[in-house]
Amino acid sequence: MKPALDVITIGRSSVDLYGQQVGGRLEDMASFSKAVGGCPANIAIGTARLGLKSGLVTRVGDEAMGRFIREQMEREGVSTQGIVTDKQRLTALVILGVRDEDSFPLIFYRDNCADMALTEDDIDESFIASAAAVVVTGTHFSRETTAAAQKKVIRIAKANGRKVVFDVDYRPNLWGLLGHGAGESRYVRSDAVTEHLKPILADCDLIVGTEEELHIAGGSENTLEAIRAIRAVSKATIVCKRGPMGCVVFPDAIPASLDDGVKGPGFPVEVYNVLGAGDAFLSGFLRGWLRNEPLETCCAYANASGAFAVSRLLCSPEIPTFPELQHFLKTGSRHKALRFDENINHIHWATTRRPQSETLMALAIDHRMQLEAMAQEIGAPVERIPDFKVLAVEAAARVADGRPGFGMLIDGTYGREALFRAADHPFWISRPVEQPGSRPLDFEGGGSLGAKLVEWPVGHTIKCLCFYHPDDPPDLKERQERDLLRLHDAARRIGRELLVEIIAGKHGALQTDTVAGILQRLYDLGIKPDWWKLEPQRDEAAWHAIGKVITSNDPYCRGIVLLGLEAPENELEAAFAAAAREPQVKGFAVGRTIFNDAARRWLKGEISDEAAISDMASRFQRLVDAWQRASSRAKAA
């Protein structure tokens, strides 16, 4: 039977907390980025990103960090069947930093941690047998119970004709050879560790390590002698990682020189952080090796993947995806520091962001200026607006009924509580940053844009409305473009999706090519939002032109949602019919058409909470039905 998975990794899983102040001591770090870490967990993510079907066997704590690891694995497409929740122990943590190009301080918080409690009982034979290969790692041979678990994995794999991969993954302090403060150390000679690992080598099909790791596996500090010692007890293909020199592979007899092994192209890049580079390397090598690619190709995948990792800050989040890797191998980069390559960064961002439903139908309740004016007009206190927005969340939730493809646009000015309540549902959530009605574009609240955005939950999409027309004065266009560029940069740096809303029709005529021309101009500037939000038009040719611009400039764009502009429902339905024929149009984000009447009557005290909710829910449902009809007809046509 063909294996369901390509590879299962076994062993460490942790949460990495990376100091964001590069060039300082850990003592002076003030803020940290969170990511999944641990060699096997990183490789599971890396191989999944590179197109393999992967799984992970580990333990995590019954707490937020453990749930984060499990949820991130699910987002990455890694099978979580082998992840055991340990109710007695905490998930391991690692504090890391970048001091300079040679110093990468780290502290392991692994005292009685969950993953080191892995036992033979945690190993599901059918799960292990479902993979073409298993990856065992050095650290989990350092204790009797975890070693027994990995040896059981090896026995199951061999019995089922599967391949065994050994990543030496040598951390001296995790073998008890050094103190807690020596987490950065990669090598201490130990005959005891060598003797401990020697019996493992015979059962392996692939052995991977740095020169120092092969020294500990082979028992010699002469690299060639160590490799020969490994060959004496194992028929495995041996891969020697050599940092900036790439790697050398020995599939058979060991030659007289390291340089006589099989090699692939190297990729000299600026070293930013070496931590996690080996995990990226092995992920790349396995992508080729498990697909029976030539060893030279395996080396190219591995070396390039490692180059990405050393050129970026974190571990698992920096491992490339296969489209990213293919782009790099085909076109290269003019940057030695790959983190500055905008094209590669965009592919990386777009192919690693959180999954999203293909369709998006959203209720927009992010209006501030309009609701303030309404309250003033009818003599209602603006302090009631936040309560109304909570009712809108309930209305949207009734329509969505837990299904994917629904969302809300909510502001932080009057919608703080509504944002909290929206998080109770599986909504796509977007928040505005623009000063309401501003032209030229200005951002709400002043001060540092990035500092404010970093406080948002990672799942919240940044939304920015810009009133922009091609006939605008040059100085107006220049200022708005400058601020959109600034916003785009901030969104990418802090890892938030961006929706750019363009309204052109309020300040000039809409021709067939008007909006398409605006989008092309913004793409030319380097602005590539995840979403576009555009005003409704009945001109199918205009939508075709818009779709063509998006497809040619950013094939990774999530698409377009239509805004409402307070249009009557029948007009919106007609606009839906015209837009739905363009595949880039994914749905709508409509507000006043849905909530205007209910808001006015509720603020006046004419209707109850329930009546307001029911009214908005029925209007939202009618638009959902209208969009789905238009979409179905377009697909049929």
Side-chain angles (χ1 to χ4, degrees):
M1 182 183 297
K2 183 179 179 181
L5 297 177
D6 293 300
V7 61
I8 292 173
T9 66
I10 299 95
R12 282 193 289 142
S13 63
S14 63
V15 172
D16 288 351
L17 299 173
Y18 262 96
Q20 294 178 304
Q21 290 73 50
V22 174
R25 307 179 307 158
L26 275 182
E27 293 88 333
D28 300 320
M29 297 296 176
S31 58
F32 297 83
S33 292
K34 183 181 73 171
V36 170
C39 171
N42 290 341
I43 296 168
I45 288 174
T47 49
R49 287 187 171 187
L50 291 169
L52 298 180
K53 295 178 181 178
S54 65
L56 174 66
V57 173
T58 189
R59 280 198 189 194
V60 298
D62 187 20
E63 21 76 355
M65 295 298 113
R67 288 190 291 275
F68 165 68
I69 291 175
R70 187 184 294 275
E71 290 172 11
Q72 185 60 30
M73 289 296 167
E74 291 170 350
R75 284 189 285 266
E76 297 279 2
V78 176
S79 172
T80 59
Q81 183 179 333
I83 299 179
V84 177
T85 298
D86 189 323
K87 295 185 179 297
Q88 280 74 48
R89 298 170 182 84
L90 294 172
T91 304
L93 299 177
V94 187
I95 311 294
L96 314 95
V98 176
R99 179 68 179 85
D100 54 43
E101 63 180 21
D102 298 312
S103 179
F104 308 94
L106 73 158
I107 304 170
F108 290 102
Y109 289 80
R110 298 182 55 81
D111 185 23
N112 195 31
C113 65
D115 67 43
M116 289 305 289
L118 196 71
T119 70
E120 291 185 80
D121 293 339
D122 297 323
I123 307 303
D124 182 332
E125 182 170 352
S126 62
F127 182 56
I128 299 301
S130 72
V134 296
V135 176
V136 293
T137 49
T139 298
H140 267 53
F141 285 115
S142 66
R143 293 189 184 179
E144 185 177 343
T145 53
T146 54
Q150 290 205 124
K151 289 174 182 177
K152 180 178 178 181
V153 166
I154 293 172
R155 290 196 301 270
I156 296 168
K158 301 299 287 185
N160 286 274
R162 309 312 192 198
K163 296 182 183 298
V164 176
V165 179
F166 178 34
D167 185 337
V168 181
D169 181 36
Y170 182 47
R171 298 284 189 172
N173 70 332
L174 298 185
W175 283 81
L177 300 176
L178 295 171
H180 291 308
E184 184 180 356
S185 176
R186 295 304 185 97
Y187 180 74
V188 170
R189 181 167 184 167
S190 171
D191 293 338
V193 173
T194 299
E195 288 303 309
H196 203 83
L197 296 180
K198 189 174 180 179
I200 308 303
L201 306 178
D203 287 325
C204 298
D205 299 283
L206 179 68
I207 298 170
V208 182
T210 62
E211 290 194 54
E212 291 82 3
E213 288 172 334
L214 295 181
H215 292 171
I216 200 69
S220 171
E221 292 184 337
N222 178 294
T223 304
L224 204 56
E225 289 181 6
I227 293 172
R228 285 180 177 144
I230 295 170
R231 173 59 73 237
V233 297
S234 176
K235 296 179 181 179
T237 296
I238 303 169
V239 180
C240 178
K241 298 183 288 187
R242 306 186 73 191
M245 294 184 289
C247 66
V248 186
V249 182
F250 304 97
D252 300 306
I254 309 304
S257 168
L258 282 179
D259 294 330
D260 292 335
V262 179
K263 290 178 284 190
F267 304 96
V269 296
E270 176 192 284
V271 174
Y272 193 57
N273 178 20
V274 300
L275 303 175
D279 305 333
F281 173 96
L282 183 51
S283 298
F285 196 91
L286 289 173
R287 161 66 208 218
W289 191 69
L290 291 174
R291 294 289 174 88
N292 298 313
E293 300 270 14
L295 287 175
E296 292 81 359
T297 301
C298 299
C299 292
Y301 290 168
N303 292 339
S305 297
F308 276 107
V310 300
S311 188
R312 295 167 172 168
L313 178 61
L314 307 178
C315 291
S316 65
E318 315 295 23
I319 299 176
T321 61
F322 199 58
E324 183 183 3
L325 182 65
Q326 288 178 302
H327 173 87
F328 177 67
L329 292 175
K330 181 179 179 180
T331 67
S333 174
R334 62 187 179 89
H335 295 276
K336 289 291 185 183
L338 296 182
R339 65 187 178 280
F340 295 136
D341 190 307
E342 292 182 0
N343 290 329
I344 288 176
N345 286 344
H346 179 65
I347 298 172
H348 183 78
W349 164 256
T351 53
T352 60
R353 62 194 169 193
R354 294 186 172 210
Q356 169 64 40
S357 174
E358 181 71 12
T359 300
L360 177 56
M361 297 168 288
L363 195 165
I365 192 70
D366 59 325
H367 304 70
R368 290 143 286 165
M369 184 174 63
Q370 296 91 338
L371 284 170
E372 288 170 346
M374 181 186 292
Q376 184 177 12
E377 176 192 340
I378 63 180
V382 295
E383 289 78 11
R384 296 196 70 202
I385 295 174
D387 293 335
F388 180 75
K389 296 199 175 199
V390 172
L391 302 182
V393 173
E394 177 58 29
R398 288 188 185 181
V399 175
D401 194 26
R403 294 173 294 169
F406 289 86
M408 295 202 71
L409 275 71
I410 308 173
D411 63 292
T413 304
Y414 294 109
R416 184 170 180 269
E417 184 63 27
L419 284 166
F420 295 158
R421 299 289 64 80
D424 296 334
H425 306 279
F427 283 141
W428 171 89
I429 298 174
S430 183
R431 296 170 62 175
V433 292
E434 77 281 353
Q435 183 69 32
S438 60
R439 190 171 189 267
L441 172 64
D442 198 7
F443 298 119
E444 195 170 39
S448 168
L449 181 64
K452 289 196 290 285
L453 293 175
V454 78
E455 296 178 357
W456 290 17
V458 294
H460 285 192
T461 295
I462 301 164
K463 170 254 174 184
C464 182
L465 165 59
C466 183
F467 295 99
Y468 186 114
H469 194 277
D471 295 337
D472 287 342
D475 58 338
L476 174 60
K477 287 198 288 188
E478 182 180 352
R479 175 172 170 177
Q480 300 211 119
E481 290 167 356
R482 183 177 66 245
D483 280 336
L484 284 173
L485 273 167
R486 185 160 66 96
L487 176 62
H488 182 266
D489 179 67
R492 290 294 167 267
R493 285 180 182 272
I494 65 169
R496 303 295 190 275
E497 292 197 26
L498 174 63
L499 179 151
V500 172
E501 178 177 0
I502 296 294
I503 295 181
K506 284 194 174 183
H507 298 279
L510 284 181
Q511 307 296 334
T512 297
D513 60 352
T514 301
V515 177
I518 295 171
L519 268 55
Q520 184 60 61
R521 169 61 182 168
L522 298 181
Y523 278 126
D524 289 343
L525 292 171
I527 297 170
K528 294 181 177 180
D530 302 272
W531 294 95
W532 294 101
K533 187 181 178 196
L534 303 176
E535 59 205 298
Q537 300 182 68
R538 296 194 184 189
D539 185 349
E540 289 188 21
W543 287 115
H544 177 69
I546 291 167
K548 187 176 181 181
V549 167
I550 293 173
T551 302
S552 61
N553 286 276
D554 182 15
Y556 296 105
C557 180
R558 290 209 189 271
I560 303 163
V561 290
L562 302 178
L563 57 96
L565 289 177
E566 205 176 354
E569 289 180 27
N570 63 327
E571 290 185 16
L572 278 180
E573 185 162 3
F576 286 176
R581 290 182 177 272
E582 170 48 50
Q584 288 287 358
V585 181
K586 307 298 185 183
F588 64 87
V590 173
R592 284 174 287 171
T593 304
I594 296 170
F595 74 73
N596 229 28
D597 185 60
R600 180 175 295 276
R601 295 165 62 201
W602 184 84
L603 287 170
K604 281 184 176 181
E606 295 177 351
I607 59 173
S608 66
D609 291 356
E610 176 56 35
I613 293 169
S614 297
D615 184 78
M616 288 187 284
S618 63
R619 293 173 187 269
F620 187 28
Q621 183 66 64
R622 288 197 294 272
L623 287 184
V624 167
D625 294 341
W627 172 257
Q628 291 177 334
R629 285 194 299 271
S631 181
S632 296
R633 290 168 184 161
K635 288 177 181 177

